[in-house]
Amino acid sequence: MQTFEKLTPGDNLGTNRQYFDDEVATDWLELFPKDEKNLPELPSGMISAITMRAYC
């Protein structure tokens, strides 16, 4: 398990590929409908969700 004490700046924790397609956008907009004005760009609030998914 990675803990803060074990993390070193610049360490590669692995790779993760996620796609932002229409299905993902639809799911996101169910939670945050006001973000529709920012599409087709990735909503800035989604960065946290992507980071958490990648870390998991």
Side-chain angles (χ1 to χ4, degrees):
M1 179 171 158
Q2 288 286 359
T3 61
F4 184 77
E5 294 80 22
K6 293 179 183 177
L7 295 175
T8 304
D11 279 354
N12 183 346
L13 301 177
T15 60
N16 181 274
R17 183 174 292 180
Q18 297 181 41
Y19 298 94
F20 184 64
D21 56 17
D22 290 341
E23 183 179 345
V24 174
T26 299
D27 290 344
W28 182 262
L29 291 175
E30 286 182 25
L31 297 171
F32 305 100
K34 292 181 181 179
D35 279 350
E36 186 170 15
K37 67 180 183 277
N38 299 321
L39 296 179
E41 297 296 319
L42 183 71
S44 59
M46 192 175 253
I47 295 300
S48 299
I50 289 172
T51 302
M52 293 304 289
R53 284 182 185 175
Y55 188 74
C56 289

